[in-house]
Amino acid sequence: MTQTTAKDHAGEQDVDLTSSALGHSHTNGHTNGANGINGVNGHASKLPELDASRITVQLADPNAREVPNEAVANTGDETICTDHMITCKWHYKTGWTAPELKPYGPFSLMPVASVLHYATECFEGLKAFRGFDGKLRIFRPNLNAERMLMSTLRIALPGFDPKELEKLITILVAQDGPKWLPRSRPGSFLYIRPAIIGTQAQLGVQASKEALLFITLSFMPRMDSPPGGMKLHTSPEDMVRAWVGGFGYAKLGANYGPSLLATAEARARGFGQILWLYGKEGYCTEAGASNFFVLWKAKDTGKLQLVTAPLDDRLILDGVNRRSVVELFRNRLAGEVEVVERKYTIDEVLEADKEGRLIESFASGTAFFICPVSLIHHRSQNVKIPMGKTGEMGEYTAKVKGWLKDIMYGIEEHEWGVVVTKE
């Protein structure tokens, strides 16, 4: 292994990590707000902020590990990560340390660390793509960085400038992308997982005074085309995934762990995910950890509508793919499909099916991408959803999936597909 500074590493690997190249800037409001949360008397902080230009680099042996093919990488019980990761520590008295790019591997936590007892953690999920034009791209990373700041502050962890997190993500992709997403594998991707955990080694229900940011790159199986489409089972009457006034809008591990039992039981019965309902009305919210969409003909006007749950009550996650789907439908199918963000119930879905107005359905998210839904099982009733002429997915599901795929893999040049210019 070799130890270099960011500047040295830039020269050796043709990855420009200098402050000027990264467009370094500080946003005091982000960090100050979090420092106030963590007991610095609520005053503006002069402590060091998260700063990608300070990164140090320790390189792994480039020949120590071979890159498996996608099928092999996803067959085991352990996620296969790339050669390197990025870590950065924070302490309420000293602020953020210099980020480190170093070989992927374990790190130490004390048994009484905050994250292990009080779920003081949050994370993000996005992907890096090897385009058919040979370029590396990341899809709308600014939105993930901004959402992670929101999640971080919700769980009382330290704030940061989202632009600096975005730069760190780009640095890691620039370092490991050329080997793990080679140009010989266009159409492939890696999963990017930034996370922040509370590391203070003290028991007690309190905001953690220490934290660790880390970013990894890994393989992830393709989950967007299950045979026959995704089959959903509505949530059990005695279980709720999220609630108004809670934290369903933030990407916290506490949103996911409690859903695993219901999901496991549904899969044992032959279903892929849970369609989470909310309240005595049975409002449709999310499909597993993905946003949920239905296309139907409106009962009153007969107009074709794309319907999905709203964001205003902060019950569901503001998914990056969700936002992209909504924007693409509004921009490219205006006048043909009306986009409606509102509360709607499972009974409305059942009624639309009974009246022949249900056209198609799909889920969207980083893991499942755009995944057609073919069936919803609710209280002994099955709603069979049309899957188009080919039986693979509906017409509009295929359109939006194609548009997004083209952007992600460089078939369509678009501002959402952010090119990693230095590899």
Side-chain angles (χ1 to χ4, degrees):
M1 299 178 185
T2 59
Q3 178 74 43
T4 69
T5 64
K7 183 177 180 181
D8 293 335
H9 179 66
E12 294 170 1
Q13 301 294 323
D14 195 29
V15 181
D16 193 345
L17 309 185
T18 62
S19 178
S20 59
L22 291 168
H24 172 66
S25 64
H26 292 285
T27 305
N28 291 326
H30 298 307
T31 304
N32 294 345
N35 285 341
I37 287 173
N38 284 280
V40 193
N41 301 320
H43 297 306
S45 173
K46 302 294 185 181
L47 299 177
E49 299 179 21
L50 184 65
D51 184 351
S53 71
R54 297 171 60 204
I55 195 167
T56 62
V57 176
Q58 182 183 11
L59 294 179
D61 179 350
N63 300 314
R65 300 169 63 201
E66 292 186 2
V67 180
N69 63 45
E70 188 176 318
V72 171
N74 293 312
T75 55
D77 294 328
E78 180 179 337
T79 295
I80 303 300
C81 292
T82 63
D83 290 329
H84 299 91
M85 62 182 181
I86 287 177
T87 64
C88 189
K89 295 180 179 180
W90 174 88
H91 190 281
Y92 82 108
K93 287 185 178 180
T94 55
W96 288 99
T97 63
E100 299 176 81
L101 186 148
K102 58 188 179 183
Y104 173 79
F107 44 71
S108 297
L109 285 176
M110 297 302 289
V112 293
S114 173
V115 63
L116 301 178
H117 299 268
Y118 308 110
T120 52
E121 63 83 41
C122 65
F123 62 93
E124 272 299 324
L126 62 163
K127 290 176 179 175
F129 303 89
R130 175 60 76 181
F132 290 100
D133 59 353
K135 297 178 181 178
L136 275 177
R137 285 179 175 82
I138 309 174
F139 185 72
R140 308 191 79 174
N142 60 308
L143 298 185
N144 291 95
E146 291 165 4
R147 188 174 65 186
M148 186 158 168
L149 172 64
M150 178 271 297
S151 298
T152 301
L153 298 181
R154 179 62 180 85
I155 205 69
L157 288 170
F160 53 86
D161 183 346
K163 293 184 178 62
E164 298 304 309
L165 176 60
E166 186 178 350
K167 292 169 190 173
L168 291 174
I169 290 170
T170 302
I171 289 169
L172 183 58
V173 172
Q175 172 61 45
D176 282 0
K179 173 181 174 180
W180 291 79
L181 284 179
R183 293 176 185 270
S184 60
R185 296 186 188 178
S188 58
F189 65 84
L190 290 171
Y191 181 74
I192 308 169
R193 168 54 60 89
I196 299 181
I197 61 175
T199 55
Q200 183 182 3
Q202 183 178 37
L203 294 177
V205 182
Q206 60 184 329
S208 181
K209 295 179 180 177
E210 299 177 34
L212 175 69
L213 162 69
F214 59 95
I215 309 171
T216 59
L217 278 175
S218 64
F219 283 96
M220 171 179 278
R222 298 175 190 263
M223 296 183 281
D224 56 295
S225 299
M230 183 188 291
K231 298 176 176 63
L232 302 178
H233 193 297
T234 56
S235 53
E237 294 184 76
D238 61 347
M239 290 190 186
V240 178
R241 189 203 69 87
W243 54 93
V244 174
F247 43 84
Y249 64 95
K251 205 163 181 65
L252 312 181
N255 273 330
Y256 298 90
S259 72
L260 298 180
L261 177 60
T263 303
E265 291 176 347
R267 287 178 174 169
R269 294 194 291 271
F271 298 91
Q273 285 291 342
I274 293 288
L275 175 57
W276 290 99
L277 306 179
Y278 181 69
K280 65 181 187 300
E281 299 87 355
Y283 292 121
C284 298
T285 62
E286 294 186 329
S290 300
N291 294 118
F292 178 67
F293 293 84
V294 294
L295 281 103
W296 63 29
K297 291 182 179 178
K299 185 177 179 64
D300 52 351
T301 66
K303 185 175 179 61
L304 187 60
Q305 294 181 331
L306 176 73
V307 186
T308 194
L311 301 175
D312 54 7
D313 56 7
R314 310 192 88 184
L315 182 63
I316 68 168
L317 192 71
D318 181 5
V320 174
N321 277 13
R322 176 196 182 279
R323 186 183 296 199
S324 303
V325 166
V326 167
E327 292 177 20
L328 287 171
F329 266 83
R330 284 181 171 152
N331 292 336
R332 300 187 180 187
L333 294 171
E336 183 177 349
V337 181
E338 179 186 7
V339 178
V340 179
E341 298 177 78
R342 70 164 176 87
K343 295 180 181 179
Y344 66 102
T345 66
I346 188 63
D347 287 339
E348 290 183 76
V349 176
L350 294 173
E351 181 184 49
D353 175 55
K354 183 178 180 181
E355 296 176 355
R357 295 184 289 106
L358 190 58
I359 307 301
E360 56 192 83
S361 177
F362 62 88
S364 76
T366 302
F368 281 91
F369 185 31
I370 302 296
C371 185
V373 173
S374 60
L375 184 141
I376 301 172
H377 179 82
H378 176 66
R379 314 293 187 257
S380 76
Q381 299 182 68
N382 282 333
V383 177
K384 294 183 178 180
I385 301 170
M387 290 282 286
K389 295 178 181 179
T390 64
E392 295 180 355
M393 67 186 72
E395 174 189 355
Y396 292 98
T397 303
K399 278 186 178 182
V400 75
K401 184 174 184 177
W403 290 332
L404 286 171
K405 184 177 180 180
D406 287 351
I407 294 170
M408 292 168 175
Y409 289 108
I411 297 171
E412 176 188 345
E413 289 290 340
H414 195 286
E415 62 181 352
W416 292 352
V418 179
V419 176
V420 179
T421 56
K422 296 283 187 178
E423 295 187 41

